[in-house]
């Protein structure tokens, strides 16, 4: 089982990664970040994407959908932003956030790798 730091390093090694964060969406706080910098404030992204996750969870509850969110994709002109909600032991209320450079990333592979990271993560 990987810890937060190891999981974030693995996420940062995904082809095209700009930055990654592990976020508690009950508080909006990043539990850990890697990358980002001038082009992406990961703490601000964590807080903002918390609103996205909360809104989607609330909408699914209102619709009565008995499904769980695997991930949320936000496509920008030059970037992909992936939000992977974590399931399993003690991971409820957490998500992995990954920002990718659209020109260098393979979206399908990035989603696959985030799922693999999720399965090995123990917080």
């Amino acid at each position: 089982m990987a810890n937060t730091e190891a999981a974030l390093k693995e996420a940062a090694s995904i082809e095209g990664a700009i930055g990654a964060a592990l976020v508690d969406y009950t508080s909006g706080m990043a539990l850990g970040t890697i990358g980002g910098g001038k082009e992406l404030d990961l703490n601000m992204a964590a807080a903002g994407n918390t609103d996205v996750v909360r809104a989607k969870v609330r909408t699914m509850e209102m619709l009565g959908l008995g499904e769980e969110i695997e991930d949320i994709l936000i496509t920008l002109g030059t970037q992909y932003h992936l939000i992977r909600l974590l399931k399993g032991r003690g991971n409820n209320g957490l998500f992995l956030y990954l920002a990718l450079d659209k020109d260098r990333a393979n979206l399908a592979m990035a989603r696959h790798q985030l799922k693999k990271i999720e399965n090995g993560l123990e917080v």
Side-chain angles (χ1 to χ4, degrees):
M1 292 286 170
N3 65 15
T4 300
E5 185 178 340
L8 289 173
K9 283 181 181 177
E10 191 173 348
S13 73
I14 294 173
E15 185 68 32
I18 297 168
L22 178 64
V23 183
D24 174 353
Y25 68 81
T26 57
S27 69
M29 301 293 292
L31 303 179
T33 63
I34 191 167
K38 290 181 184 176
E39 63 182 295
L40 181 63
D41 180 334
L42 288 169
N43 288 308
M44 187 177 297
N49 284 306
T50 293
D51 292 337
V52 171
V53 170
R54 288 177 184 162
K56 188 60 186 172
V57 168
R58 193 170 47 251
T59 300
M60 289 182 60
E61 288 171 357
M62 288 187 302
L63 292 171
L65 298 176
E67 299 279 337
E68 290 186 344
I69 299 169
E70 287 184 15
D71 55 35
I72 298 169
L73 170 64
I74 300 168
T75 305
L76 306 177
T78 61
Q79 297 176 359
Y80 294 123
H81 291 221
L82 273 171
I83 300 167
R84 175 102 191 159
L85 277 72
L86 303 184
K87 311 289 184 283
R89 302 182 312 266
N91 292 338
N92 289 340
L94 301 178
F95 66 86
L96 276 169
Y97 169 70
L98 177 65
L100 298 160
D101 180 303
K102 215 173 175 181
D103 290 334
R104 297 182 351 214
N106 177 324
L107 183 56
M109 184 60 74
R111 289 184 69 223
H112 175 75
Q113 289 173 297
L114 270 187
K115 183 177 182 177
K116 183 180 164 198
I117 292 167
E118 172 194 6
N119 290 335
L121 181 63
E122 188 170 296
V123 180

